[in-house]
Amino acid sequence: ITACQPDDTPHRNATLENIGSTITTLALRTRFSGTNDTQTNPEQSLVWMVSHAFRPVFGKAQSFHAEPRAASAALTATLGVIPETILGNSGGAKGKMSVDPKHLEAAVNELRTRGFGDLWNALQHLSSLDTDRRSIFVIMAKWATFL
């Protein structure tokens, strides 16, 4: 419902970014939840997990004939907050999230080594949807701030 608001209101963006941060945290916990820091599936990065979490949302939105930009607005907001969620806005997420420091470090390394490539793949899919092209630049600017 929030994503369906017709304009980019600060309320909508803040709400979607909070949801995106939560999804990112859940993906981080799922990806690195084993007893060691080996990854469950090396092909499924954090960015991949987050972007694929929205596949059912897109399907459901189409079945309801919802505003086509609604689901892409949610994905856009979520992709934009991944680095800030993992790295934090003042020196990192250590001390702010209850996550094993080794898992947090593995997530940071993953974002720095393959994050942009995975983001590019997610943006390719996003650009094929009915989305505002400016939002792709906003995502890239947010990522550039942290990485």
Side-chain angles (χ1 to χ4, degrees), residues 104-119:
L104 190 57
E105 185 177 333
V108 169
N109 289 336
E110 181 179 282
L111 284 182
R112 291 198 168 139
T113 57
R114 66 180 282 193
F116 274 113
D118 292 337
L119 178 64

Side-chain angles (χ1 to χ4, degrees), residues 35-55:
T35 55
N36 55 30
D37 40 328
T38 59
Q39 301 157 351
T40 54
N41 183 344
E43 296 300 315
Q44 297 177 355
S45 68
L46 285 170
V47 175
W48 184 93
M49 291 176 76
V50 169
S51 65
H52 277 71
F54 280 87
R55 301 269 174 167

Side-chain angles (χ1 to χ4, degrees), residues 118-133:
D118 292 337
L119 178 64
W120 178 252
N121 291 334
L123 291 177
Q124 296 269 331
H125 175 65
L126 185 62
S127 68
S128 70
L129 302 169
D130 185 18
T131 187
D132 183 2
R133 301 286 187 235

Side-chain angles (χ1 to χ4, degrees), residues 8-79:
D8 283 340
T9 63
H11 169 73
R12 179 191 89 163
N13 292 339
T15 302
L16 292 175
E17 287 177 357
N18 285 334
I19 292 168
S21 183
T22 302
I23 291 169
T24 300
T25 302
L26 290 171
L28 176 122
R29 290 178 187 276
T30 302
R31 177 142 172 79
F32 300 104
S33 65
T35 55
N36 55 30
D37 40 328
T38 59
Q39 301 157 351
T40 54
N41 183 344
E43 296 300 315
Q44 297 177 355
S45 68
L46 285 170
V47 175
W48 184 93
M49 291 176 76
V50 169
S51 65
H52 277 71
F54 280 87
R55 301 269 174 167
V57 174
F58 288 119
K60 203 56 132 167
Q62 288 175 343
S63 71
F64 285 126
H65 306 291
E67 168 65 33
R69 293 186 185 209
S72 62
L75 179 58
T76 298
T78 300
L79 289 174

